[in-house]
Amino acid sequence: QVQLVESGGGLVQTGGSLRLSCVASGLTFSSYVMGWFRQAPGKERQFVAAITWNGGRTLYADSVKGRFTMSRDDAKSTVSLQMNSLKPEDTAVYYCAADRGWTAVPRTSGNEYDYWGQGTQVTVSS
């Protein structure tokens, strides 16, 4: 059974930092494109970042480019999202997702992802 478990969310002030982690089990982690998405109350799910199966390419939403960094550690079946210079508009539930498609460019549509974690809340106070 595939499981994705996020951690690292919390409450932080504007300008602060958080590091999210997602540990995967039940799948051949190194074969999956991994992504981060977020959903704020009353809003649609939004792509945040994704990384290819070999870590060769990382893609970011324009809204987080230059502030967020995604990485993966295949030995630990883990992806991380380092979030710096946080803003109130970053407040959302953040989800980790796995895409088994062999794509050279990470996909940004959540519909393409096969497995999802339960989410972790990130709240940025102004």
Side-chain angles (χ1 to χ4, degrees), residues 60-114:
Y60 298 96
D62 288 342
S63 59
V64 307
K65 202 172 295 183
R67 300 187 297 121
F68 290 12
T69 302
M70 184 176 183
S71 60
R72 68 186 297 156
D73 183 342
D74 287 352
K76 297 181 179 179
S77 297
T78 298
V79 290
S80 298
L81 185 69
Q82 178 65 42
M83 305 187 297
N84 298 329
S85 302
L86 283 162
K87 305 175 182 179
E89 51 263 45
D90 295 318
T91 295
V93 177
Y94 283 71
Y95 297 92
C96 171
D99 174 9
R100 61 187 168 203
W102 288 78
T103 58
V105 178
R107 297 189 279 202
T108 61
S109 170
N111 294 332
E112 304 289 353
Y113 286 73
D114 302 288

Short mmCIF file of all heavy atoms in Angstrom, two decimals, residues 60-114:
data_model
loop_
_atom_site.label_atom_id
_atom_site.label_comp_id
_atom_site.label_asym_id
_atom_site.label_seq_id
_atom_site.Cartn_x
_atom_site.Cartn_y
_atom_site.Cartn_z
N TYR A 60 8.78 25.15 -10.67
CA TYR A 60 8.13 25.90 -9.60
C TYR A 60 7.01 26.77 -10.16
O TYR A 60 7.11 27.28 -11.28
CB TYR A 60 9.13 26.80 -8.87
CG TYR A 60 10.24 26.05 -8.18
CD1 TYR A 60 11.47 25.88 -8.81
CD2 TYR A 60 10.06 25.52 -6.92
CE1 TYR A 60 12.49 25.18 -8.19
CE2 TYR A 60 11.08 24.82 -6.28
CZ TYR A 60 12.29 24.66 -6.93
OH TYR A 60 13.30 23.97 -6.31
N ALA A 61 6.00 26.97 -9.36
CA ALA A 61 4.99 27.96 -9.69
C ALA A 61 5.63 29.34 -9.62
O ALA A 61 6.52 29.58 -8.79
CB ALA A 61 3.82 27.87 -8.72
N ASP A 62 5.15 30.24 -10.45
CA ASP A 62 5.72 31.59 -10.45
C ASP A 62 5.61 32.25 -9.08
O ASP A 62 6.48 33.03 -8.69
CB ASP A 62 5.01 32.45 -11.50
CG ASP A 62 5.38 32.07 -12.92
OD1 ASP A 62 6.42 31.38 -13.11
OD2 ASP A 62 4.65 32.45 -13.84
N SER A 63 4.56 31.94 -8.37
CA SER A 63 4.30 32.59 -7.08
C SER A 63 5.32 32.20 -6.00
O SER A 63 5.43 32.89 -4.99
CB SER A 63 2.89 32.26 -6.59
OG SER A 63 2.72 30.86 -6.45
N VAL A 64 6.05 31.10 -6.20
CA VAL A 64 7.00 30.66 -5.18
C VAL A 64 8.44 30.64 -5.70
O VAL A 64 9.37 30.40 -4.92
CB VAL A 64 6.64 29.25 -4.64
CG1 VAL A 64 5.19 29.22 -4.17
CG2 VAL A 64 6.89 28.17 -5.67
N LYS A 65 8.62 30.91 -6.98
CA LYS A 65 9.95 30.85 -7.58
C LYS A 65 10.89 31.81 -6.87
O LYS A 65 10.53 32.97 -6.61
CB LYS A 65 9.84 31.19 -9.07
CG LYS A 65 10.98 30.69 -9.91
CD LYS A 65 10.69 30.90 -11.38
CE LYS A 65 9.52 30.07 -11.85
NZ LYS A 65 9.25 30.21 -13.29
N GLY A 66 12.07 31.33 -6.53
CA GLY A 66 13.05 32.15 -5.84
C GLY A 66 12.92 32.12 -4.33
O GLY A 66 13.81 32.57 -3.61
N ARG A 67 11.80 31.59 -3.83
CA ARG A 67 11.59 31.50 -2.38
C ARG A 67 11.54 30.07 -1.89
O ARG A 67 11.96 29.78 -0.76
CB ARG A 67 10.27 32.20 -2.00
CG ARG A 67 10.21 33.66 -2.36
CD ARG A 67 8.96 34.33 -1.80
NE ARG A 67 7.72 33.76 -2.34
CZ ARG A 67 6.77 33.20 -1.60
NH1 ARG A 67 6.89 33.14 -0.28
NH2 ARG A 67 5.67 32.71 -2.16
N PHE A 68 11.03 29.17 -2.72
CA PHE A 68 10.89 27.75 -2.35
C PHE A 68 11.91 26.93 -3.11
O PHE A 68 12.22 27.20 -4.27
CB PHE A 68 9.50 27.24 -2.67
CG PHE A 68 8.38 27.79 -1.83
CD1 PHE A 68 8.58 28.88 -0.97
CD2 PHE A 68 7.12 27.22 -1.90
CE1 PHE A 68 7.54 29.37 -0.20
CE2 PHE A 68 6.07 27.71 -1.14
CZ PHE A 68 6.29 28.79 -0.28
N THR A 69 12.41 25.88 -2.46
CA THR A 69 13.33 24.94 -3.10
C THR A 69 12.90 23.52 -2.79
O THR A 69 12.75 23.16 -1.61
CB THR A 69 14.77 25.16 -2.61
OG1 THR A 69 15.17 26.52 -2.88
CG2 THR A 69 15.73 24.22 -3.34
N MET A 70 12.72 22.75 -3.84
CA MET A 70 12.34 21.35 -3.67
C MET A 70 13.54 20.46 -3.94
O MET A 70 14.32 20.71 -4.85
CB MET A 70 11.21 20.99 -4.62
CG MET A 70 10.68 19.57 -4.44
SD MET A 70 9.27 19.25 -5.51
CE MET A 70 8.84 17.58 -4.99
N SER A 71 13.65 19.39 -3.15
CA SER A 71 14.74 18.44 -3.34
C SER A 71 14.23 17.04 -3.03
O SER A 71 13.16 16.87 -2.44
CB SER A 71 15.92 18.78 -2.44
OG SER A 71 15.55 18.76 -1.07
N ARG A 72 15.00 16.04 -3.45
CA ARG A 72 14.64 14.66 -3.16
C ARG A 72 15.86 13.88 -2.71
O ARG A 72 16.99 14.17 -3.13
CB ARG A 72 13.98 14.00 -4.36
CG ARG A 72 14.86 13.76 -5.56
CD ARG A 72 14.04 13.23 -6.75
NE ARG A 72 13.45 11.93 -6.46
CZ ARG A 72 12.36 11.46 -7.08
NH1 ARG A 72 11.75 12.18 -7.99
NH2 ARG A 72 11.89 10.27 -6.77
N ASP A 73 15.60 12.88 -1.87
CA ASP A 73 16.64 11.97 -1.41
C ASP A 73 16.10 10.57 -1.63
O ASP A 73 15.30 10.06 -0.83
CB ASP A 73 16.94 12.22 0.07
CG ASP A 73 18.07 11.36 0.60
OD1 ASP A 73 18.40 10.34 -0.04
OD2 ASP A 73 18.61 11.68 1.66
N ASP A 74 16.51 9.95 -2.73
CA ASP A 74 15.97 8.65 -3.08
C ASP A 74 16.36 7.58 -2.07
O ASP A 74 15.62 6.62 -1.86
CB ASP A 74 16.43 8.24 -4.48
CG ASP A 74 15.73 9.04 -5.57
OD1 ASP A 74 14.78 9.79 -5.25
OD2 ASP A 74 16.13 8.91 -6.74
N ALA A 75 17.50 7.73 -1.43
CA ALA A 75 17.94 6.74 -0.43
C ALA A 75 16.98 6.70 0.76
O ALA A 75 16.84 5.67 1.42
CB ALA A 75 19.35 7.06 0.04
N LYS A 76 16.35 7.85 1.02
CA LYS A 76 15.41 7.94 2.16
C LYS A 76 13.96 8.01 1.70
O LYS A 76 13.07 8.18 2.53
CB LYS A 76 15.75 9.18 3.00
CG LYS A 76 17.12 9.13 3.64
CD LYS A 76 17.38 10.38 4.47
CE LYS A 76 18.75 10.31 5.13
NZ LYS A 76 19.04 11.52 5.93
N SER A 77 13.74 7.88 0.39
CA SER A 77 12.38 7.98 -0.17
C SER A 77 11.66 9.23 0.34
O SER A 77 10.50 9.19 0.76
CB SER A 77 11.56 6.73 0.19
OG SER A 77 12.14 5.58 -0.38
N THR A 78 12.37 10.33 0.26
CA THR A 78 11.88 11.58 0.85
C THR A 78 12.04 12.73 -0.12
O THR A 78 13.04 12.83 -0.84
CB THR A 78 12.66 11.90 2.13
OG1 THR A 78 12.45 10.84 3.08
CG2 THR A 78 12.19 13.21 2.75
N VAL A 79 11.04 13.59 -0.15
CA VAL A 79 11.16 14.88 -0.81
C VAL A 79 10.96 15.96 0.23
O VAL A 79 10.24 15.77 1.21
CB VAL A 79 10.17 15.08 -1.98
CG1 VAL A 79 10.52 14.19 -3.14
CG2 VAL A 79 8.74 14.87 -1.52
N SER A 80 11.61 17.09 -0.01
CA SER A 80 11.51 18.21 0.91
C SER A 80 11.15 19.47 0.15
O SER A 80 11.41 19.59 -1.05
CB SER A 80 12.85 18.41 1.64
OG SER A 80 13.18 17.28 2.41
N LEU A 81 10.56 20.40 0.87
CA LEU A 81 10.24 21.71 0.30
C LEU A 81 10.70 22.76 1.31
O LEU A 81 10.09 22.91 2.37
CB LEU A 81 8.74 21.85 0.02
CG LEU A 81 8.33 23.14 -0.67
CD1 LEU A 81 8.86 23.13 -2.12
CD2 LEU A 81 6.81 23.29 -0.68
N GLN A 82 11.79 23.42 0.98
CA GLN A 82 12.29 24.50 1.82
C GLN A 82 11.58 25.78 1.42
O GLN A 82 11.67 26.19 0.25
CB GLN A 82 13.81 24.65 1.65
CG GLN A 82 14.40 25.80 2.45
CD GLN A 82 14.29 25.58 3.95
OE1 GLN A 82 14.52 24.49 4.44
NE2 GLN A 82 13.94 26.63 4.68
N MET A 83 10.89 26.39 2.36
CA MET A 83 10.09 27.57 2.08
C MET A 83 10.66 28.75 2.86
O MET A 83 10.65 28.74 4.09
CB MET A 83 8.63 27.32 2.46
CG MET A 83 8.03 26.08 1.82
SD MET A 83 6.26 25.90 2.12
CE MET A 83 6.26 25.70 3.90
N ASN A 84 11.16 29.73 2.13
CA ASN A 84 11.73 30.93 2.74
C ASN A 84 10.90 32.15 2.37
O ASN A 84 10.08 32.10 1.45
CB ASN A 84 13.16 31.12 2.27
CG ASN A 84 14.07 29.98 2.67
OD1 ASN A 84 13.88 29.34 3.71
ND2 ASN A 84 15.07 29.71 1.84
N SER A 85 11.11 33.22 3.11
CA SER A 85 10.41 34.49 2.83
C SER A 85 8.91 34.27 2.70
O SER A 85 8.27 34.74 1.75
CB SER A 85 10.97 35.14 1.56
OG SER A 85 12.35 35.37 1.68
N LEU A 86 8.35 33.56 3.65
CA LEU A 86 6.94 33.21 3.57
C LEU A 86 6.04 34.42 3.67
O LEU A 86 6.35 35.40 4.38
CB LEU A 86 6.60 32.19 4.66
CG LEU A 86 7.08 30.76 4.35
CD1 LEU A 86 7.12 29.90 5.59
CD2 LEU A 86 6.18 30.13 3.29
N LYS A 87 4.93 34.34 2.97
CA LYS A 87 3.95 35.42 2.92
C LYS A 87 2.60 34.88 3.39
O LYS A 87 2.34 33.68 3.30
CB LYS A 87 3.80 35.91 1.48
CG LYS A 87 5.09 36.34 0.82
CD LYS A 87 4.86 36.69 -0.64
CE LYS A 87 6.15 37.09 -1.33
NZ LYS A 87 5.92 37.42 -2.77
N PRO A 88 1.72 35.76 3.84
CA PRO A 88 0.39 35.30 4.27
C PRO A 88 -0.34 34.52 3.17
O PRO A 88 -1.09 33.58 3.47
CB PRO A 88 -0.33 36.60 4.61
CG PRO A 88 0.76 37.52 5.05
CD PRO A 88 1.93 37.18 4.17
N GLU A 89 -0.11 34.88 1.93
CA GLU A 89 -0.78 34.18 0.82
C GLU A 89 -0.24 32.77 0.60
O GLU A 89 -0.79 32.02 -0.21
CB GLU A 89 -0.69 34.99 -0.47
CG GLU A 89 0.71 35.45 -0.83
CD GLU A 89 0.97 36.89 -0.39
OE1 GLU A 89 0.60 37.23 0.76
OE2 GLU A 89 1.56 37.65 -1.19
N ASP A 90 0.80 32.39 1.31
CA ASP A 90 1.29 31.02 1.26
C ASP A 90 0.51 30.10 2.21
O ASP A 90 0.72 28.88 2.20
CB ASP A 90 2.77 30.95 1.62
CG ASP A 90 3.66 31.65 0.62
OD1 ASP A 90 3.41 31.50 -0.60
OD2 ASP A 90 4.61 32.34 1.03
N THR A 91 -0.35 30.69 3.01
CA THR A 91 -1.14 29.90 3.95
C THR A 91 -2.04 28.93 3.20
O THR A 91 -2.81 29.31 2.32
CB THR A 91 -2.00 30.82 4.83
OG1 THR A 91 -1.13 31.62 5.65
CG2 THR A 91 -2.93 30.02 5.72
N ALA A 92 -1.93 27.65 3.55
CA ALA A 92 -2.68 26.59 2.87
C ALA A 92 -2.34 25.26 3.50
O ALA A 92 -1.40 25.15 4.30
CB ALA A 92 -2.33 26.56 1.38
N VAL A 93 -3.09 24.25 3.09
CA VAL A 93 -2.69 22.87 3.37
C VAL A 93 -1.81 22.43 2.22
O VAL A 93 -2.19 22.57 1.05
CB VAL A 93 -3.90 21.94 3.52
CG1 VAL A 93 -3.44 20.50 3.73
CG2 VAL A 93 -4.79 22.40 4.66
N TYR A 94 -0.63 21.92 2.54
CA TYR A 94 0.33 21.49 1.53
C TYR A 94 0.30 19.97 1.41
O TYR A 94 0.38 19.25 2.42
CB TYR A 94 1.73 21.97 1.91
CG TYR A 94 1.92 23.43 1.62
CD1 TYR A 94 1.28 24.41 2.38
CD2 TYR A 94 2.73 23.85 0.57
CE1 TYR A 94 1.44 25.75 2.10
CE2 TYR A 94 2.90 25.19 0.28
CZ TYR A 94 2.25 26.14 1.05
OH TYR A 94 2.41 27.47 0.77
N TYR A 95 0.22 19.51 0.16
CA TYR A 95 0.12 18.08 -0.13
C TYR A 95 1.31 17.62 -0.97
O TYR A 95 1.71 18.30 -1.92
CB TYR A 95 -1.15 17.78 -0.91
CG TYR A 95 -2.43 18.09 -0.17
CD1 TYR A 95 -3.04 19.33 -0.29
CD2 TYR A 95 -3.02 17.12 0.65
CE1 TYR A 95 -4.21 19.62 0.38
CE2 TYR A 95 -4.21 17.40 1.33
CZ TYR A 95 -4.79 18.64 1.18
OH TYR A 95 -5.95 18.93 1.86
N CYS A 96 1.79 16.46 -0.62
CA CYS A 96 2.80 15.78 -1.40
C CYS A 96 2.09 14.80 -2.34
O CYS A 96 1.08 14.20 -1.95
CB CYS A 96 3.72 15.03 -0.43
SG CYS A 96 4.91 13.91 -1.16
N ALA A 97 2.60 14.66 -3.56
CA ALA A 97 1.96 13.77 -4.53
C ALA A 97 3.02 13.06 -5.38
O ALA A 97 4.11 13.59 -5.58
CB ALA A 97 1.02 14.56 -5.43
N ALA A 98 2.66 11.87 -5.87
CA ALA A 98 3.57 11.07 -6.68
C ALA A 98 2.95 10.77 -8.04
O ALA A 98 1.78 10.37 -8.13
CB ALA A 98 3.89 9.76 -5.96
N ASP A 99 3.73 10.96 -9.09
CA ASP A 99 3.31 10.74 -10.47
C ASP A 99 4.19 9.67 -11.08
O ASP A 99 5.40 9.86 -11.20
CB ASP A 99 3.43 12.06 -11.23
CG ASP A 99 3.17 11.93 -12.72
OD1 ASP A 99 2.72 10.85 -13.16
OD2 ASP A 99 3.41 12.91 -13.43
N ARG A 100 3.62 8.56 -11.49
CA ARG A 100 4.42 7.47 -12.04
C ARG A 100 4.69 7.63 -13.53
O ARG A 100 5.31 6.75 -14.14
CB ARG A 100 3.75 6.12 -11.79
CG ARG A 100 2.39 5.98 -12.42
CD ARG A 100 1.73 4.70 -11.99
NE ARG A 100 0.32 4.66 -12.34
CZ ARG A 100 -0.56 3.90 -11.72
NH1 ARG A 100 -0.19 3.10 -10.73
NH2 ARG A 100 -1.83 3.90 -12.09
N GLY A 101 4.27 8.74 -14.12
CA GLY A 101 4.55 8.97 -15.52
C GLY A 101 6.02 9.29 -15.75
O GLY A 101 6.61 10.04 -14.99
N TRP A 102 6.59 8.72 -16.78
CA TRP A 102 8.00 8.96 -17.08
C TRP A 102 8.09 10.19 -17.97
O TRP A 102 8.17 10.11 -19.19
CB TRP A 102 8.60 7.74 -17.78
CG TRP A 102 8.80 6.59 -16.85
CD1 TRP A 102 7.85 5.74 -16.40
CD2 TRP A 102 10.02 6.18 -16.25
NE1 TRP A 102 8.42 4.81 -15.55
CE2 TRP A 102 9.75 5.05 -15.44
CE3 TRP A 102 11.33 6.66 -16.32
CZ2 TRP A 102 10.73 4.39 -14.71
CZ3 TRP A 102 12.32 6.00 -15.59
CH2 TRP A 102 12.01 4.88 -14.79
N THR A 103 8.09 11.34 -17.31
CA THR A 103 8.12 12.60 -18.05
C THR A 103 9.43 13.33 -17.79
O THR A 103 9.94 13.35 -16.68
CB THR A 103 6.94 13.49 -17.64
OG1 THR A 103 7.00 13.71 -16.23
CG2 THR A 103 5.61 12.83 -17.97
N ALA A 104 9.94 13.93 -18.86
CA ALA A 104 11.18 14.71 -18.71
C ALA A 104 10.91 16.03 -18.01
O ALA A 104 11.80 16.59 -17.37
CB ALA A 104 11.79 14.96 -20.09
N VAL A 105 9.69 16.51 -18.14
CA VAL A 105 9.29 17.76 -17.49
C VAL A 105 8.17 17.42 -16.50
O VAL A 105 7.18 16.81 -16.88
CB VAL A 105 8.79 18.78 -18.52
CG1 VAL A 105 8.32 20.05 -17.81
CG2 VAL A 105 9.89 19.09 -19.53
N PRO A 106 8.32 17.81 -15.25
CA PRO A 106 7.27 17.49 -14.27
C PRO A 106 5.92 18.08 -14.69
O PRO A 106 5.86 19.18 -15.25
CB PRO A 106 7.77 18.16 -12.99
CG PRO A 106 9.23 18.32 -13.17
CD PRO A 106 9.43 18.55 -14.62
N ARG A 107 4.87 17.35 -14.42
CA ARG A 107 3.54 17.82 -14.76
C ARG A 107 2.98 18.66 -13.63
O ARG A 107 3.25 18.42 -12.45
CB ARG A 107 2.63 16.64 -15.10
CG ARG A 107 3.15 15.90 -16.32
CD ARG A 107 2.22 14.86 -16.84
NE ARG A 107 2.29 13.62 -16.09
CZ ARG A 107 1.90 12.45 -16.60
NH1 ARG A 107 1.41 12.38 -17.82
NH2 ARG A 107 1.97 11.37 -15.86
N THR A 108 2.20 19.66 -14.00
CA THR A 108 1.69 20.61 -13.00
C THR A 108 0.23 20.40 -12.66
O THR A 108 -0.29 21.07 -11.77
CB THR A 108 1.90 22.05 -13.50
OG1 THR A 108 1.16 22.22 -14.71
CG2 THR A 108 3.37 22.34 -13.77
N SER A 109 -0.44 19.51 -13.37
CA SER A 109 -1.84 19.24 -13.08
C SER A 109 -1.96 18.13 -12.04
O SER A 109 -1.41 17.05 -12.22
CB SER A 109 -2.58 18.82 -14.34
OG SER A 109 -3.88 18.34 -14.01
N GLY A 110 -2.69 18.41 -10.99
CA GLY A 110 -2.87 17.40 -9.96
C GLY A 110 -3.55 16.15 -10.48
O GLY A 110 -3.37 15.06 -9.91
N ASN A 111 -4.31 16.28 -11.55
CA ASN A 111 -5.01 15.12 -12.11
C ASN A 111 -4.05 14.07 -12.64
O ASN A 111 -4.43 12.91 -12.84
CB ASN A 111 -5.95 15.57 -13.22
CG ASN A 111 -7.09 16.43 -12.71
OD1 ASN A 111 -7.51 16.29 -11.57
ND2 ASN A 111 -7.58 17.32 -13.54
N GLU A 112 -2.81 14.45 -12.90
CA GLU A 112 -1.81 13.52 -13.44
C GLU A 112 -1.12 12.73 -12.34
O GLU A 112 -0.39 11.80 -12.63
CB GLU A 112 -0.77 14.30 -14.24
CG GLU A 112 -1.34 15.14 -15.37
CD GLU A 112 -1.84 14.32 -16.53
OE1 GLU A 112 -1.64 13.08 -16.53
OE2 GLU A 112 -2.44 14.90 -17.44
N TYR A 113 -1.34 13.09 -11.10
CA TYR A 113 -0.64 12.44 -10.00
C TYR A 113 -1.47 11.29 -9.45
O TYR A 113 -2.69 11.38 -9.34
CB TYR A 113 -0.31 13.47 -8.91
CG TYR A 113 0.83 14.36 -9.33
CD1 TYR A 113 0.65 15.35 -10.30
CD2 TYR A 113 2.11 14.21 -8.79
CE1 TYR A 113 1.70 16.15 -10.72
CE2 TYR A 113 3.16 15.01 -9.20
CZ TYR A 113 2.95 15.97 -10.16
OH TYR A 113 3.99 16.77 -10.57
N ASP A 114 -0.76 10.22 -9.11
CA ASP A 114 -1.44 8.98 -8.76
C ASP A 114 -1.66 8.79 -7.27
O ASP A 114 -2.63 8.13 -6.86
CB ASP A 114 -0.60 7.80 -9.28
CG ASP A 114 -0.38 7.88 -10.77
OD1 ASP A 114 -1.36 7.65 -11.52
OD2 ASP A 114 0.75 8.18 -11.20
#
